[in-house]
PDB file of all heavy atoms in Angstrom:
ATOM      1  N   ARG A   4       9.068  -3.392 -15.428  1.00 95.00           N
ATOM      2  CA  ARG A   4       8.026  -4.282 -15.986  1.00 95.00           C
ATOM      3  C   ARG A   4       7.878  -5.420 -15.016  1.00 95.00           C
ATOM      4  O   ARG A   4       8.814  -5.744 -14.298  1.00 95.00           O
ATOM      5  CB  ARG A   4       8.519  -4.769 -17.397  1.00 95.00           C
ATOM      6  CG  ARG A   4       8.539  -3.580 -18.382  1.00 95.00           C
ATOM      7  CD  ARG A   4       9.214  -3.893 -19.673  1.00 95.00           C
ATOM      8  NE  ARG A   4       8.771  -5.129 -20.345  1.00 95.00           N
ATOM      9  CZ  ARG A   4       7.757  -5.171 -21.200  1.00 95.00           C
ATOM     10  NH1 ARG A   4       7.038  -4.104 -21.500  1.00 95.00           N
ATOM     11  NH2 ARG A   4       7.410  -6.310 -21.763  1.00 95.00           N
ATOM     12  N   PHE A   5       6.631  -5.953 -14.959  1.00 96.00           N
ATOM     13  CA  PHE A   5       6.294  -6.903 -13.940  1.00 96.00           C
ATOM     14  C   PHE A   5       5.752  -8.210 -14.524  1.00 96.00           C
ATOM     15  O   PHE A   5       5.109  -8.223 -15.544  1.00 96.00           O
ATOM     16  CB  PHE A   5       5.205  -6.249 -13.034  1.00 96.00           C
ATOM     17  CG  PHE A   5       5.591  -5.011 -12.365  1.00 96.00           C
ATOM     18  CD1 PHE A   5       5.263  -3.812 -12.921  1.00 96.00           C
ATOM     19  CD2 PHE A   5       6.430  -4.991 -11.289  1.00 96.00           C
ATOM     20  CE1 PHE A   5       5.616  -2.617 -12.398  1.00 96.00           C
ATOM     21  CE2 PHE A   5       6.817  -3.815 -10.710  1.00 96.00           C
ATOM     22  CZ  PHE A   5       6.410  -2.574 -11.237  1.00 96.00           C
ATOM     23  N   VAL A   7       3.077 -10.959 -14.176  1.00 97.00           N
ATOM     24  CA  VAL A   7       1.719 -10.908 -13.723  1.00 97.00           C
ATOM     25  C   VAL A   7       1.004 -12.241 -13.972  1.00 97.00           C
ATOM     26  O   VAL A   7       1.196 -12.803 -15.079  1.00 97.00           O
ATOM     27  CB  VAL A   7       0.894  -9.789 -14.457  1.00 97.00           C
ATOM     28  CG1 VAL A   7      -0.599  -9.781 -14.034  1.00 97.00           C
ATOM     29  CG2 VAL A   7       1.563  -8.446 -14.235  1.00 97.00           C
ATOM     30  N   ARG A  18     -11.363 -11.924 -17.460  1.00 93.00           N
ATOM     31  CA  ARG A  18     -11.253 -11.207 -18.739  1.00 93.00           C
ATOM     32  C   ARG A  18     -11.265  -9.732 -18.549  1.00 93.00           C
ATOM     33  O   ARG A  18     -10.578  -8.981 -19.256  1.00 93.00           O
ATOM     34  CB  ARG A  18     -12.381 -11.637 -19.661  1.00 93.00           C
ATOM     35  CG  ARG A  18     -12.398 -13.118 -19.955  1.00 93.00           C
ATOM     36  CD  ARG A  18     -11.866 -13.398 -21.345  1.00 93.00           C
ATOM     37  NE  ARG A  18     -11.903 -14.818 -21.609  1.00 93.00           N
ATOM     38  CZ  ARG A  18     -11.816 -15.311 -22.844  1.00 93.00           C
ATOM     39  NH1 ARG A  18     -11.698 -14.520 -23.861  1.00 93.00           N
ATOM     40  NH2 ARG A  18     -11.790 -16.624 -22.998  1.00 93.00           N
ATOM     41  N   LEU A  21      -7.890  -8.683 -17.635  1.00 95.00           N
ATOM     42  CA  LEU A  21      -6.980  -8.597 -18.824  1.00 95.00           C
ATOM     43  C   LEU A  21      -7.257  -7.318 -19.638  1.00 95.00           C
ATOM     44  O   LEU A  21      -6.335  -6.690 -20.112  1.00 95.00           O
ATOM     45  CB  LEU A  21      -7.214  -9.877 -19.694  1.00 95.00           C
ATOM     46  CG  LEU A  21      -6.790 -11.181 -18.963  1.00 95.00           C
ATOM     47  CD1 LEU A  21      -7.198 -12.343 -19.850  1.00 95.00           C
ATOM     48  CD2 LEU A  21      -5.320 -11.155 -18.665  1.00 95.00           C
ATOM     49  N   GLU A  25      -4.619  -4.117 -20.476  1.00 93.00           N
ATOM     50  CA  GLU A  25      -4.440  -3.611 -21.848  1.00 93.00           C
ATOM     51  C   GLU A  25      -4.732  -2.108 -21.862  1.00 93.00           C
ATOM     52  O   GLU A  25      -3.928  -1.327 -22.405  1.00 93.00           O
ATOM     53  CB  GLU A  25      -5.242  -4.343 -22.887  1.00 93.00           C
ATOM     54  CG  GLU A  25      -4.782  -5.697 -23.229  1.00 93.00           C
ATOM     55  CD  GLU A  25      -5.607  -6.381 -24.260  1.00 93.00           C
ATOM     56  OE1 GLU A  25      -6.813  -6.530 -24.099  1.00 93.00           O
ATOM     57  OE2 GLU A  25      -5.002  -6.748 -25.297  1.00 93.00           O
ATOM     58  N   PHE A  29      -0.455  -1.505 -18.683  1.00 92.00           N
ATOM     59  CA  PHE A  29       0.329  -1.960 -17.554  1.00 92.00           C
ATOM     60  C   PHE A  29       1.629  -2.562 -18.012  1.00 92.00           C
ATOM     61  O   PHE A  29       1.652  -3.358 -18.944  1.00 92.00           O
ATOM     62  CB  PHE A  29      -0.464  -2.962 -16.729  1.00 92.00           C
ATOM     63  CG  PHE A  29       0.072  -3.230 -15.380  1.00 92.00           C
ATOM     64  CD1 PHE A  29      -0.220  -2.405 -14.312  1.00 92.00           C
ATOM     65  CD2 PHE A  29       0.880  -4.350 -15.134  1.00 92.00           C
ATOM     66  CE1 PHE A  29       0.336  -2.623 -13.016  1.00 92.00           C
ATOM     67  CE2 PHE A  29       1.397  -4.602 -13.859  1.00 92.00           C
ATOM     68  CZ  PHE A  29       1.170  -3.723 -12.836  1.00 92.00           C
ATOM     69  N   PRO A  30       2.743  -2.203 -17.426  1.00 95.00           N
ATOM     70  CA  PRO A  30       4.046  -2.729 -17.866  1.00 95.00           C
ATOM     71  C   PRO A  30       4.307  -4.199 -17.551  1.00 95.00           C
ATOM     72  O   PRO A  30       4.935  -4.532 -16.494  1.00 95.00           O
ATOM     73  CB  PRO A  30       5.032  -1.783 -17.155  1.00 95.00           C
ATOM     74  CG  PRO A  30       4.341  -1.393 -15.932  1.00 95.00           C
ATOM     75  CD  PRO A  30       2.892  -1.327 -16.261  1.00 95.00           C
ATOM     76  N   VAL A  31       3.821  -5.028 -18.368  1.00 95.00           N
ATOM     77  CA  VAL A  31       3.939  -6.490 -18.178  1.00 95.00           C
ATOM     78  C   VAL A  31       5.165  -7.045 -18.881  1.00 95.00           C
ATOM     79  O   VAL A  31       5.308  -6.849 -20.107  1.00 95.00           O
ATOM     80  CB  VAL A  31       2.655  -7.174 -18.699  1.00 95.00           C
ATOM     81  CG1 VAL A  31       2.782  -8.699 -18.539  1.00 95.00           C
ATOM     82  CG2 VAL A  31       1.406  -6.724 -17.969  1.00 95.00           C
ATOM     83  N   ALA A  32       5.939  -7.710 -18.107  1.00 96.00           N
ATOM     84  CA  ALA A  32       7.124  -8.438 -18.684  1.00 96.00           C
ATOM     85  C   ALA A  32       6.703  -9.834 -19.135  1.00 96.00           C
ATOM     86  O   ALA A  32       6.923 -10.238 -20.254  1.00 96.00           O
ATOM     87  CB  ALA A  32       8.262  -8.583 -17.702  1.00 96.00           C
ATOM     88  N   GLN A  33       5.984 -10.519 -18.221  1.00 96.00           N
ATOM     89  CA  GLN A  33       5.440 -11.880 -18.561  1.00 96.00           C
ATOM     90  C   GLN A  33       4.087 -11.996 -17.976  1.00 96.00           C
ATOM     91  O   GLN A  33       3.807 -11.557 -16.849  1.00 96.00           O
ATOM     92  CB  GLN A  33       6.353 -12.943 -17.957  1.00 96.00           C
ATOM     93  CG  GLN A  33       5.831 -14.346 -18.285  1.00 96.00           C
ATOM     94  CD  GLN A  33       6.656 -15.436 -17.539  1.00 96.00           C
ATOM     95  OE1 GLN A  33       7.422 -15.218 -16.663  1.00 96.00           O
ATOM     96  NE2 GLN A  33       6.493 -16.676 -18.042  1.00 96.00           N
ATOM     97  N   LEU A  34       3.164 -12.503 -18.766  1.00 97.00           N
ATOM     98  CA  LEU A  34       1.776 -12.688 -18.343  1.00 97.00           C
ATOM     99  C   LEU A  34       1.458 -14.158 -18.309  1.00 97.00           C
ATOM    100  O   LEU A  34       1.597 -14.872 -19.350  1.00 97.00           O
ATOM    101  CB  LEU A  34       0.813 -11.962 -19.309  1.00 97.00           C
ATOM    102  CG  LEU A  34      -0.687 -11.996 -18.968  1.00 97.00           C
ATOM    103  CD1 LEU A  34      -0.948 -11.406 -17.592  1.00 97.00           C
ATOM    104  CD2 LEU A  34      -1.455 -11.355 -20.027  1.00 97.00           C
ATOM    105  N   LYS A  35       1.039 -14.654 -17.144  1.00 97.00           N
ATOM    106  CA  LYS A  35       0.596 -16.039 -16.971  1.00 97.00           C
ATOM    107  C   LYS A  35      -0.925 -16.055 -16.862  1.00 97.00           C
ATOM    108  O   LYS A  35      -1.488 -15.387 -15.993  1.00 97.00           O
ATOM    109  CB  LYS A  35       1.159 -16.649 -15.685  1.00 97.00           C
ATOM    110  CG  LYS A  35       2.626 -16.904 -15.680  1.00 97.00           C
ATOM    111  CD  LYS A  35       3.085 -17.582 -14.440  1.00 97.00           C
ATOM    112  CE  LYS A  35       4.556 -17.901 -14.412  1.00 97.00           C
ATOM    113  NZ  LYS A  35       4.913 -18.673 -13.168  1.00 97.00           N
ATOM    114  N   LEU A  36      -1.561 -16.756 -17.766  1.00 98.00           N
ATOM    115  CA  LEU A  36      -2.965 -16.945 -17.691  1.00 98.00           C
ATOM    116  C   LEU A  36      -3.241 -18.295 -17.063  1.00 98.00           C
ATOM    117  O   LEU A  36      -2.828 -19.335 -17.521  1.00 98.00           O
ATOM    118  CB  LEU A  36      -3.578 -16.917 -19.127  1.00 98.00           C
ATOM    119  CG  LEU A  36      -3.335 -15.665 -19.860  1.00 98.00           C
ATOM    120  CD1 LEU A  36      -4.070 -15.649 -21.223  1.00 98.00           C
ATOM    121  CD2 LEU A  36      -3.710 -14.375 -19.091  1.00 98.00           C
ATOM    122  N   LYS A  45      -6.509 -23.651 -23.579  1.00 97.00           N
ATOM    123  CA  LYS A  45      -7.161 -22.604 -24.307  1.00 97.00           C
ATOM    124  C   LYS A  45      -6.194 -21.475 -24.525  1.00 97.00           C
ATOM    125  O   LYS A  45      -5.207 -21.315 -23.852  1.00 97.00           O
ATOM    126  CB  LYS A  45      -8.361 -22.111 -23.491  1.00 97.00           C
ATOM    127  CG  LYS A  45      -9.502 -23.044 -23.384  1.00 97.00           C
ATOM    128  CD  LYS A  45     -10.685 -22.410 -22.635  1.00 97.00           C
ATOM    129  CE  LYS A  45     -11.842 -23.391 -22.548  1.00 97.00           C
ATOM    130  NZ  LYS A  45     -12.993 -22.828 -21.835  1.00 97.00           N
ATOM    131  N   ARG A  46      -6.492 -20.677 -25.585  1.00 97.00           N
ATOM    132  CA  ARG A  46      -5.597 -19.559 -25.934  1.00 97.00           C
ATOM    133  C   ARG A  46      -6.490 -18.295 -25.873  1.00 97.00           C
ATOM    134  O   ARG A  46      -7.631 -18.284 -26.365  1.00 97.00           O
ATOM    135  CB  ARG A  46      -5.009 -19.765 -27.267  1.00 97.00           C
ATOM    136  CG  ARG A  46      -4.082 -21.025 -27.260  1.00 97.00           C
ATOM    137  CD  ARG A  46      -3.374 -21.173 -28.552  1.00 97.00           C
ATOM    138  NE  ARG A  46      -2.198 -20.237 -28.697  1.00 97.00           N
ATOM    139  CZ  ARG A  46      -1.081 -20.302 -28.052  1.00 97.00           C
ATOM    140  NH1 ARG A  46      -0.869 -21.293 -27.168  1.00 97.00           N
ATOM    141  NH2 ARG A  46      -0.118 -19.449 -28.299  1.00 97.00           N
ATOM    142  N   ILE A  47      -5.913 -17.260 -25.309  1.00 96.00           N
ATOM    143  CA  ILE A  47      -6.646 -15.945 -25.190  1.00 96.00           C
ATOM    144  C   ILE A  47      -5.779 -14.902 -25.807  1.00 96.00           C
ATOM    145  O   ILE A  47      -4.525 -14.852 -25.536  1.00 96.00           O
ATOM    146  CB  ILE A  47      -6.957 -15.610 -23.711  1.00 96.00           C
ATOM    147  CG1 ILE A  47      -7.931 -16.687 -23.090  1.00 96.00           C
ATOM    148  CG2 ILE A  47      -7.567 -14.244 -23.558  1.00 96.00           C
ATOM    149  CD1 ILE A  47      -8.138 -16.512 -21.573  1.00 96.00           C
ATOM    150  N   SER A  48      -6.388 -14.050 -26.568  1.00 95.00           N
ATOM    151  CA  SER A  48      -5.659 -12.925 -27.158  1.00 95.00           C
ATOM    152  C   SER A  48      -5.590 -11.764 -26.166  1.00 95.00           C
ATOM    153  O   SER A  48      -6.569 -11.195 -25.736  1.00 95.00           O
ATOM    154  CB  SER A  48      -6.351 -12.450 -28.474  1.00 95.00           C
ATOM    155  OG  SER A  48      -5.621 -11.377 -29.035  1.00 95.00           O
ATOM    156  N   VAL A  49      -4.310 -11.412 -25.779  1.00 94.00           N
ATOM    157  CA  VAL A  49      -4.092 -10.321 -24.809  1.00 94.00           C
ATOM    158  C   VAL A  49      -2.887  -9.544 -25.267  1.00 94.00           C
ATOM    159  O   VAL A  49      -1.833 -10.112 -25.659  1.00 94.00           O
ATOM    160  CB  VAL A  49      -3.772 -10.860 -23.407  1.00 94.00           C
ATOM    161  CG1 VAL A  49      -3.655  -9.730 -22.422  1.00 94.00           C
ATOM    162  CG2 VAL A  49      -4.825 -11.838 -22.957  1.00 94.00           C
ATOM    163  N   MET A  50      -2.990  -8.216 -25.325  1.00 90.00           N
ATOM    164  CA  MET A  50      -1.894  -7.342 -25.661  1.00 90.00           C
ATOM    165  C   MET A  50      -1.216  -7.741 -26.991  1.00 90.00           C
ATOM    166  O   MET A  50       0.020  -7.748 -27.171  1.00 90.00           O
ATOM    167  CB  MET A  50      -0.847  -7.286 -24.535  1.00 90.00           C
ATOM    168  CG  MET A  50      -1.399  -6.639 -23.305  1.00 90.00           C
ATOM    169  SD  MET A  50      -0.207  -6.458 -21.988  1.00 90.00           S
ATOM    170  CE  MET A  50      -0.734  -7.679 -20.858  1.00 90.00           C
ATOM    171  N   GLY A  51      -2.056  -8.128 -27.947  1.00 90.00           N
ATOM    172  CA  GLY A  51      -1.540  -8.483 -29.253  1.00 90.00           C
ATOM    173  C   GLY A  51      -0.871  -9.826 -29.370  1.00 90.00           C
ATOM    174  O   GLY A  51      -0.249 -10.177 -30.384  1.00 90.00           O
ATOM    175  N   GLN A  52      -1.048 -10.680 -28.307  1.00 93.00           N
ATOM    176  CA  GLN A  52      -0.420 -12.019 -28.343  1.00 93.00           C
ATOM    177  C   GLN A  52      -1.530 -13.047 -28.037  1.00 93.00           C
ATOM    178  O   GLN A  52      -2.442 -12.753 -27.315  1.00 93.00           O
ATOM    179  CB  GLN A  52       0.659 -12.121 -27.286  1.00 93.00           C
ATOM    180  CG  GLN A  52       1.773 -11.202 -27.420  1.00 93.00           C
ATOM    181  CD  GLN A  52       2.743 -11.358 -26.221  1.00 93.00           C
ATOM    182  OE1 GLN A  52       2.974 -12.462 -25.754  1.00 93.00           O
ATOM    183  NE2 GLN A  52       3.342 -10.248 -25.783  1.00 93.00           N
ATOM    184  N   GLU A  53      -1.328 -14.248 -28.545  1.00 96.00           N
ATOM    185  CA  GLU A  53      -2.166 -15.363 -28.176  1.00 96.00           C
ATOM    186  C   GLU A  53      -1.404 -16.087 -27.037  1.00 96.00           C
ATOM    187  O   GLU A  53      -0.273 -16.556 -27.183  1.00 96.00           O
ATOM    188  CB  GLU A  53      -2.276 -16.332 -29.331  1.00 96.00           C
ATOM    189  CG  GLU A  53      -3.243 -15.784 -30.442  1.00 96.00           C
ATOM    190  CD  GLU A  53      -4.700 -15.826 -30.044  1.00 96.00           C
ATOM    191  OE1 GLU A  53      -5.159 -16.810 -29.371  1.00 96.00           O
ATOM    192  OE2 GLU A  53      -5.416 -14.858 -30.345  1.00 96.00           O
ATOM    193  N   ILE A  54      -2.002 -16.085 -25.879  1.00 97.00           N
ATOM    194  CA  ILE A  54      -1.348 -16.703 -24.688  1.00 97.00           C
ATOM    195  C   ILE A  54      -2.150 -17.935 -24.254  1.00 97.00           C
ATOM    196  O   ILE A  54      -3.383 -17.874 -24.121  1.00 97.00           O
ATOM    197  CB  ILE A  54      -1.264 -15.701 -23.560  1.00 97.00           C
ATOM    198  CG1 ILE A  54      -0.456 -14.440 -24.047  1.00 97.00           C
ATOM    199  CG2 ILE A  54      -0.590 -16.318 -22.317  1.00 97.00           C
ATOM    200  CD1 ILE A  54      -0.378 -13.325 -23.021  1.00 97.00           C
ATOM    201  N   GLU A  55      -1.410 -18.991 -23.982  1.00 98.00           N
ATOM    202  CA  GLU A  55      -2.006 -20.262 -23.573  1.00 98.00           C
ATOM    203  C   GLU A  55      -2.357 -20.247 -22.073  1.00 98.00           C
ATOM    204  O   GLU A  55      -1.574 -19.707 -21.246  1.00 98.00           O
ATOM    205  CB  GLU A  55      -1.063 -21.411 -23.809  1.00 98.00           C
ATOM    206  CG  GLU A  55      -1.712 -22.764 -23.532  1.00 98.00           C
ATOM    207  CD  GLU A  55      -0.807 -23.930 -23.922  1.00 98.00           C
ATOM    208  OE1 GLU A  55       0.209 -23.700 -24.670  1.00 98.00           O
ATOM    209  OE2 GLU A  55      -1.090 -25.029 -23.558  1.00 98.00           O
ATOM    210  N   VAL A  56      -3.494 -20.762 -21.779  1.00 98.00           N
ATOM    211  CA  VAL A  56      -3.990 -20.897 -20.388  1.00 98.00           C
ATOM    212  C   VAL A  56      -3.397 -22.172 -19.770  1.00 98.00           C
ATOM    213  O   VAL A  56      -3.420 -23.219 -20.408  1.00 98.00           O
ATOM    214  CB  VAL A  56      -5.538 -20.911 -20.327  1.00 98.00           C
ATOM    215  CG1 VAL A  56      -5.995 -21.105 -18.896  1.00 98.00           C
ATOM    216  CG2 VAL A  56      -6.111 -19.602 -20.935  1.00 98.00           C
TER     217      VAL A  56
END
Side-chain angles (χ1 to χ4, degrees):
R4 294 169 50 88
F5 303 97
V7 176
R18 298 256 182 164
L21 297 174
E25 285 184 303
F29 193 82
V31 175
Q33 180 185 18
L34 180 61
K35 291 184 178 183
L36 302 184
K45 289 184 179 180
R46 299 185 74 76
I47 297 175
S48 180
V49 184
M50 296 185 250
Q52 300 176 36
E53 288 287 319
I54 301 175
E55 186 174 348
V56 176

